[in-house]
Amino acid sequence: TLKSTLGIPPDALVVGNIGYLVAQKDHSNLLEAAAIALRELPNLWVVIVGPGPLKEHLLEKARTLALADRLVMTGYPSR
């Protein structure tokens, strides 16, 4: 159900991170690793949950790594 809500295919392998989008959380490294893994795992998707100042930087990095169509960034749900 959650995959469907996020627009991710039901057979996808999902990796991700939950945390504030700042340098010390190293989301950038997660994206680089995912780009490498995608070569062998064509059903790989990345989900990043959390807000922060690096959101635009991470979106641009995903575009550069040809991951933009496999990345879901959700922010935090509102209460």
Side-chain angles (χ1 to χ4, degrees), residues 12-13 15 30-46 62 65-71:
L13 171 64
V15 298
L30 170 65
L31 294 178
E32 290 173 16
I36 293 167
L38 188 60
R39 296 177 199 152
E40 298 293 323
L41 302 166
N43 64 335
L44 182 71
W45 282 69
V46 179
L65 294 169
L67 283 176
D69 64 334
R70 297 302 184 96
L71 173 63

Side-chain angles (χ1 to χ4, degrees), residues 19-27 51-54 58:
Y20 199 63
L21 306 179
V22 291
Q24 61 265 36
K25 300 288 184 175
D26 205 8
H27 296 92
L54 293 182
L58 294 170

Side-chain angles (χ1 to χ4, degrees), residues 74-79:
T74 67
Y76 281 140
S78 56
R79 295 178 185 220

